[in-house]
Amino acid sequence: QDILLSCTTNADLTMSRHWVAWRHHDITIYNSSTDHSYSKASTPDKYHYHLNSSRGNYSIQIKALKISDEGAYRCIVKSHGLKTKTVKLTVEAPYSKPEIIKTADSFTCWSKGY
């Protein structure tokens, strides 16, 4: 499953010295520059950027969600000051009801799922 995290601003980021970045677990996964080039994370197919600087839209789509994608995503916009927006992403996955097996001297718990 995919998800779109929104980041919008009223700032005109087509102007020089203005930029936008997305961070997850203190790792930059998107960083624009004044010439509108950017660097991607080590998994380039994982993230898709919906960039429309004239409308102030810098949303990010995360493809094929995994449990490891869970956490805080921070959109940082520098334009006449620094503005941030944090989105907390919770990923839920199906699993079976845990089964607890008791032996003479231990317990074992197992479940199927992600």
Side-chain angles (χ1 to χ4, degrees), residues 31-44:
N31 189 0
S32 70
S33 66
T34 56
D35 65 359
H36 304 291
S37 66
Y38 57 89
S39 60
K40 290 185 179 179
S42 59
T43 53

Side-chain angles (χ1 to χ4, degrees), residues 57-108:
N57 184 350
Y58 293 87
S59 300
I60 185 172
Q61 181 180 23
I62 305 171
K63 297 186 171 211
L65 281 175
K66 295 181 180 178
I67 296 291
S68 60
D69 295 322
E70 190 168 86
Y73 287 80
R74 187 179 336 164
C75 177
I76 306 161
V77 177
K78 181 185 181 296
S79 173
H80 307 293
L82 201 62
K83 297 178 182 177
T84 65
K85 175 184 178 182
T86 301
V87 178
K88 184 178 179 189
L89 177 64
T90 302
V91 179
E92 295 181 358
Y95 60 91
S96 66
K97 182 178 177 182
E99 182 178 332
I100 300 172
I101 302 168
K102 180 183 177 188
T103 61
D105 58 351
S106 68
F107 289 92
T108 303

Side-chain angles (χ1 to χ4, degrees), residues 4-20:
L4 183 70
L5 303 180
S6 178
C7 181
T8 57
T9 179
N10 293 340
D12 181 5
L13 298 180
T14 60
M15 305 292 287
S16 63
R17 297 183 309 251
H18 298 182
W19 52 262
V20 64

